[in-house]
Amino acid sequence: MAQDPVVNLQRQLLAQERWHEPWTTGTVNLSGSESTLFYKRRDGSSRQGSTTAADIEALLNACQPVTFGRGGDTILDETHRKAWTMDVGAFSWLFNPDSGRFTAELAQGLCPWDQLDRGIRIEVDKLNVYASGGFFKSHKNKPRGVEMFGSLVVVLPVKYEGGSLFLRHGGRELEFDANRMLEGLPSATIAYAAFYSDVDHEVADISSGHRVTISYNLYFDSSRTAPPPGRLRRVPDNPFTSMFRQYLRRDSFLASQRYLGFGMEYPYPKRADEYDGNLIRHLKGPDAFLYHGLLNLGARPQLRYLYRSEYGSCDFWVMLSHPTDGRRTNAASPDTELEFLIQEPDSSIVWAKGKTRDLRPVLETEPSFDDTHGLSHTSETLIFIAIARYL
């Protein structure tokens, strides 16, 4: 029995991880005074640091144990994270990643498929020191503003063992071992990892030495010039696009598929209509890869919203071309919510798999649901809709 084309496409899409990794790593050879680090001691005096053991101990003594907020209180919890930190303003590093050279390299590694029409701003956040026994359990960085899209961690050339940074997202994992990357390189070389905000990451136990890092927040900035385009201007042919192209040539496939929906892999801080009218400009990694891949196939993907009830099981979702706040009432029931949505002029019904043959199920790539902007008891997700040869 022939395999369902939708199932085939889903499997090929999920296998495209090597084309759109949600992180990038690299090294930078510092020149001249770029490796110079200044910081304040606890007595208020200043000190110029180096990577010698004595200077690292002095840096550690100038730091504070890492704390974080919980329930309105600031607490120290060394079962979750054991490290030392120094806030921005208490240190100054002469290497400036917020420069054209570095941001261009970063964009080519982290956003190779994005048609960037704005710049990237890199803002320093903290200096962190992990001594022997230090670690940081798996967590995600919370975006600080709607334009923040990721984080950058720079590892200074200080000797230590252990302490790999593990990045995980969507079943993928990367071990960022700065020591291994810096092996054999000049002493003034740093290693870095940049990743999207919703990537899980953790720092493994430090077995010896000190892991010294400086972290940064990554923002899109419309007031800046876009980085020059990288070498990858077009999504390369791959198993997913090759298979989809073959299906698009079959009349039977086109006749049987009214909608093909591709769930976005990443959540976005704002509603699509709040991104200056163009969410496409803000797509990240896999989502940008998918969008441009569909364009290259001659499809014209459009953005749609799917709403589903959170009251038990529901046979169908409601698809809209625009977001809606809906009616917010605690007394709402599944019927009244869905009835409200169906009354929208451009609403469409998307049946759950196996419930009807009138409409094919939406092709899901494990989208994450966010009820922040949906109905009070309804989840909302963003998808690309490619209506073959009809859009």
Side-chain angles (χ1 to χ4, degrees), residues 341-389:
L341 288 172
I342 293 172
Q343 290 173 0
E344 292 284 329
D346 68 340
S347 65
S348 301
I349 298 298
V350 179
W351 291 96
K353 191 171 184 178
K355 296 297 183 181
T356 181
R357 293 181 180 274
D358 295 336
L359 289 178
R360 293 306 302 264
V362 169
L363 173 62
E364 295 183 13
T365 56
E366 298 182 0
S368 52
F369 291 89
D370 181 4
D371 63 4
T372 302
H373 304 298
L375 299 174
S376 57
H377 296 287
T378 302
S379 289
E380 171 196 86
T381 187
L382 293 168
I383 63 171
F384 286 125
I385 292 294
I387 308 176
R389 295 190 181 177

Side-chain angles (χ1 to χ4, degrees), residues 37 55 60 64 101 116 137 149 170 212 229 263 337 339 343:
L37 174 70
D55 276 349
L60 183 63
Q64 302 288 338
R101 181 190 68 172
L116 295 179
K137 289 186 176 180
F149 68 91
V212 183
E337 286 182 348
E339 182 179 316
Q343 290 173 0

Side-chain angles (χ1 to χ4, degrees), residues 102-273:
F102 187 81
T103 54
E105 180 178 337
L106 193 70
Q108 292 178 22
L110 196 58
C111 315
W113 318 114
D114 298 8
Q115 305 295 315
L116 295 179
D117 58 358
R118 68 251 188 251
I120 292 177
R121 185 175 77 256
I122 303 177
E123 291 187 356
V124 63
D125 184 27
K126 292 180 182 295
L127 181 149
N128 296 303
V129 181
Y130 293 83
S132 180
F135 64 92
F136 197 174
K137 289 186 176 180
S138 184
H139 64 287
K140 293 182 181 180
N141 292 341
K142 183 178 180 181
R144 300 181 180 180
V146 295
E147 297 298 334
M148 181 177 168
F149 68 91
S151 299
L152 168 68
V153 176
V154 177
V155 181
L156 276 60
V158 179
K159 293 296 183 181
Y160 65 94
E161 293 183 2
S164 289
L165 174 65
F166 287 92
L167 304 172
R168 302 183 183 96
H169 184 80
R172 286 164 281 175
E173 179 179 279
L174 173 72
E175 179 183 359
F176 171 61
D177 186 342
N179 274 326
R180 188 166 54 207
M181 292 182 66
L182 295 175
E183 188 175 350
L185 297 180
S187 58
T189 305
I190 57 174
Y192 70 86
F195 48 92
Y196 291 118
S197 299
D198 43 354
V199 169
D200 283 293
H201 52 288
E202 70 171 303
V203 179
D205 290 356
I206 307 294
S207 54
S208 67
H210 296 85
R211 179 180 183 268
V212 183
T213 66
I214 298 179
S215 60
Y216 300 82
N217 299 323
L218 304 177
Y219 298 86
F220 287 126
D221 191 335
S222 298
S223 68
R224 296 191 174 191
T225 304
R231 298 180 298 274
L232 304 175
R233 297 171 181 264
R234 182 182 177 89
V235 173
D237 213 14
N238 58 79
F240 168 74
T241 55
S242 296
M243 178 178 289
F244 200 10
R245 183 180 294 106
Q246 293 176 13
Y247 283 140
L248 290 176
R249 293 170 179 167
R250 300 179 185 178
D251 291 338
S252 59
F253 175 79
L254 297 177
S256 64
Q257 307 297 333
R258 182 178 179 185
Y259 297 106
L260 278 180
F262 302 88
M264 292 190 180
E265 185 166 334
Y266 287 91
Y268 294 88
K270 294 189 293 186
R271 283 191 336 203
D273 61 341

